[in-house]
Amino acid sequence: MGSNHHRKLHVMFFPFMAYGHLIPTLDMAKLFSSRGAKSTILTTPLNSKILQKPIDTFKNLNPSLEIDIQIFDFPCVELGLPEGCENVDFFTSNNNDDRQYLTLKFFLSTRFFKDQLEKLLETTRPDCLIADMFFPWATEAAEKLNVPRLVFHGTGYFSLCSEYCIRVHNPQNRVASSCEPFVIPDLPGNIVITKEQIADRDEESEMGKFMIEVKESDVKSSGVIVNSFYELEPDYANFYKSVVVKRAWHIGPLSVYNRGFEEKAERGKKASIDEVECLKWLDSKKPDSVIYISFGSVACFKNEQLFEIAAGLETSGANFIWVVRKNTDDKEEWLPEGFEERVKGKGMIIRGWAPQVLILDHQATGGFVTHCGWNSLLEGVAAGLPMVTWPVGAEQFYNEKLVTQVLRTGVSVGAKKHVRTTGDFISREKVDKAVREVLVGEEADERRERAKKLAEMAKAAVEEGGSSFNELNNFIEEFTS
Ligand code: UDP
């Protein structure tokens, strides 16, 4: 074997500044460095503060491994953003129009990184750059300096393929109404969806144009890194690799590389509760008896929706841990009177940020009500959990179809429409019914059975000789030489 084989691979990671992208990128950088590469994460000053603690923990556990942060300047005010607005999590407005304006502005502002990126690539010459899908300009920058650019979307094969088939065939333009179900053309599995569940963007709008750039940069890049594993979605992995892009490597589920308590507890934000107390509470519950409810790091429900969730949980009689993401200055008008008194011992509300993977992995947790953000979905899969699917926006309705129509490990709560941030309204009766359905009964047992098998496959995929392990090997070999 040539000497190249032993050269250390240097990989640069450039995540979009939102938790759903920072967290898997951090996991990915740790994974590459644990396989002998040098990892550098590029980010802004405030986001580097979020990543530093978990990186320090990782380095303490693995003193010989190389992983570092490189900070880029991001002058928010100069770019027309609010002061310190370096992460989607810092958008405080609950007004949807304001948020949409800010989101677009934020997306377009990241182009400011381009010069800094070019300079850094020129001086450090990494072997490749794994940059987020939302940085389409990174392909050009990398090309200029002859560095292969890989794309990281943060989502799985299924939604990437669904989105591709819909973009190519436009079946949504041939239905009589926005709620009429149609089969996604060309996509394996006869998957059914409706027009109002997909984010149908006006291609002439600024956001529409930006998304076209994003798609074009997918095809122009050297390939795609996917946080998934082959056994989860084999038909869609094959379809994506043969039809949609030149190359793709799946190396997930990334969350399972975090093994100890500390690593699982610290994947970004500091939890709003004491992790040990939370686990003790779970220890006191029977196996598979607790439902965990969370909608990720972006969705933010209106008070009337939170009220319905509370009422539905109460009538379901289930044990629960419910994560409520609210701005701290909001008044607590979203809880039925005396709710917390009545559910004492049965239910726990976490206001803010939950140590999600710790909770999902606990044996008492028996179901997951999820917005179907890809990270959460995969974390649920890796924990062997049946799910109640409650998509809100982004590509979450596609992810839901994977769970309900392909994997058959979940039931839909019945969200009909894609509504950014606030979601479609769901009644307490639907919440109650879906929670019961997923926790108890014959069909629930069958779903759980299937979910547990997937979790075993997920673990096997990342072990030595597993599908994700091998893909990562191939990737490292190819980019080292
Ligand atoms: N997360 C968490 N605690 C919370 C909320 C979210 O640890 O209270 C983590 C979750 O485990 C996942 C990520 O944040 O890794 C959210 O990503 P996802 O793709 O599920 O949804 P998004 O936030 O992008 O909508």
Side-chain angles (χ1 to χ4, degrees):
M1 221 159 270
S3 59
N4 263 352
H5 187 72
H6 299 287
R7 194 171 63 82
K8 201 174 189 98
L9 184 74
H10 183 195
V11 186
M12 273 188 183
F13 298 88
F14 199 175
F16 180 65
M17 300 95 84
Y19 280 104
H21 296 243
L22 288 171
I23 290 172
T25 304
L26 171 68
D27 287 341
M28 196 160 43
K30 283 164 44 177
L31 170 64
F32 271 84
S33 77
S34 68
R35 297 285 284 277
K38 172 181 160 70
S39 299
T40 306
I41 304 177
L42 316 178
T43 199
T44 70
L46 292 179
N47 289 293
S48 80
K49 293 209 164 80
I50 297 169
L51 297 174
Q52 196 61 56
K53 184 139 190 271
I55 286 183
D56 289 344
T57 302
F58 180 76
K59 282 184 163 174
N60 283 337
L61 294 167
N62 313 279
S64 64
L65 303 184
E66 280 192 85
I67 177 167
D68 282 297
I69 300 176
Q70 172 78 40
I71 296 177
F72 279 171
D73 193 24
F74 191 62
C76 294
V77 176
E78 217 172 281
L79 293 165
L81 292 165
E83 169 104 49
C85 191
E86 296 177 19
N87 185 311
V88 172
D89 190 46
F90 306 160
F91 296 6
T92 47
S93 174
N94 282 339
N95 177 301
N96 250 344
D97 289 341
D98 290 353
R99 282 191 77 101
Q100 224 163 310
Y101 171 79
L102 206 54
T103 305
L104 177 66
K105 186 107 201 141
F106 192 72
F107 277 134
L108 300 180
S109 296
T110 64
R111 193 176 283 277
F112 180 80
F113 292 131
K114 195 169 176 228
D115 287 346
Q116 297 175 80
L117 178 64
E118 285 179 10
K119 282 206 190 85
L120 185 70
L121 293 176
E122 191 168 7
T123 51
T124 49
R125 297 278 162 188
D127 295 295
C128 61
L129 169 72
I130 302 181
D132 203 279
M133 66 181 279
F134 291 130
F135 303 152
W137 41 265
T139 304
E140 209 183 277
E143 201 172 38
K144 212 162 144 186
L145 293 145
N146 248 322
V147 174
R149 188 260 163 123
L150 286 304
V151 182
F152 181 68
H153 299 88
T155 189
Y157 284 122
F158 182 86
S159 76
L160 290 167
C161 294
S162 305
E163 189 274 334
Y164 170 84
C165 292
I166 287 182
R167 182 157 39 90
V168 170
H169 298 286
N170 286 303
Q172 74 281 14
N173 296 343
R174 295 190 294 274
V175 285
S177 78
S178 59
C179 59
E180 183 182 307
F182 60 83
V183 172
I184 303 179
D186 250 12
L187 187 73
N190 293 318
I191 305 303
V192 178
I193 199 162
T194 66
K195 180 173 175 162
E196 59 194 0
Q197 294 184 332
I198 59 180
D200 202 11
R201 270 200 193 92
D202 170 12
E203 299 207 334
E204 297 303 313
S205 71
E206 282 221 70
M207 193 54 127
K209 285 185 198 147
F210 176 72
M211 291 313 289
I212 291 173
E213 255 185 81
V214 165
K215 288 299 146 198
E216 284 169 355
S217 85
D218 277 9
V219 184
K220 279 192 241 149
S221 73
S222 305
V224 176
I225 301 287
V226 187
N227 179 15
S228 186
F229 60 104
Y230 187 76
E231 294 74 12
L232 181 71
E233 36 177 5
D235 292 349
Y236 306 99
N238 294 339
F239 185 91
Y240 193 68
K241 289 181 176 203
S242 59
V243 179
V244 187
V245 289
K246 281 189 280 235
R247 304 287 303 278
W249 293 263
H250 43 260
I251 60 172
L254 292 167
S255 68
V256 304
Y257 295 109
N258 296 297
R259 303 204 190 240
F261 172 85
E262 232 181 333
E263 278 193 285
K264 284 186 190 180
E266 271 176 18
R267 299 179 65 228
K269 217 165 173 164
K270 169 112 195 65
S272 315
I273 47 150
D274 184 280
E275 293 91 349
V276 177
E277 287 304 313
C278 180
L279 292 186
K280 262 197 212 147
W281 187 86
L282 281 166
D283 285 341
S284 74
K285 303 287 177 244
K286 289 204 191 83
D288 291 329
S289 73
V290 178
I291 188 109
Y292 172 71
I293 303 115
S294 165
F295 300 93
S297 67
V298 182
C300 200
F301 286 165
K302 294 198 173 123
N303 285 348
E304 59 205 24
Q305 180 63 76
L306 297 174
F307 201 88
E308 291 302 299
I309 295 176
L313 284 175
E314 191 173 352
T315 52
S316 80
N319 295 322
F320 65 85
I321 295 183
W322 175 24
V323 191
V324 182
R325 188 178 174 269
K326 279 258 132 202
N327 293 328
T328 40
D329 52 347
D330 285 344
K331 282 205 211 81
E332 297 224 332
E333 283 164 349
W334 46 273
L335 275 184
E337 199 150 326
F339 177 79
E340 276 179 294
E341 261 317 299
R342 288 197 301 278
V343 299
K344 208 166 180 181
K346 248 187 167 326
M348 178 193 289
I349 298 177
I350 298 178
R351 293 166 173 80
W353 193 258
Q356 179 158 308
V357 173
L358 280 178
I359 295 171
L360 294 177
D361 286 353
H362 194 283
Q363 56 163 3
T365 306
F368 183 10
V369 179
T370 174
H371 74 307
C372 300
W374 186 249
N375 296 293
S376 293
L377 197 151
L378 262 189
E379 288 157 14
V381 166
L385 292 175
M387 303 180 208
V388 171
T389 57
W390 186 329
V392 175
E395 90 297 7
Q396 294 149 15
F397 280 91
Y398 296 130
N399 297 338
E400 167 183 70
K401 307 311 177 216
L402 174 68
V403 173
T404 56
Q405 297 180 32
V406 181
L407 306 174
R408 298 189 302 127
T409 53
V411 296
S412 168
V413 83
K416 291 203 172 74
K417 283 191 233 150
H418 188 285
V419 186
R420 281 190 193 90
T421 321
T422 48
D424 190 15
F425 181 77
I426 302 293
S427 69
R428 63 187 68 187
E429 290 80 15
K430 284 186 176 166
V431 175
D432 175 354
K433 180 164 175 278
V435 167
R436 285 174 201 262
E437 247 182 271
V438 110
L439 285 180
V440 286
E442 205 173 301
E443 282 184 51
D445 292 341
E446 286 166 16
R447 272 184 223 108
R448 188 180 308 286
E449 197 61 24
R450 286 192 285 272
K452 296 226 150 130
K453 286 209 179 99
L454 284 176
E456 281 165 27
M457 291 188 228
K459 296 206 174 78
V462 302
E463 294 295 331
E464 187 152 0
S467 50
S468 290
F469 184 94
N470 290 342
E471 288 254 312
L472 181 57
N473 261 1
N474 295 341
F475 183 90
I476 291 175
E477 291 237 339
E478 186 169 334
F479 285 84
T480 309
S481 52

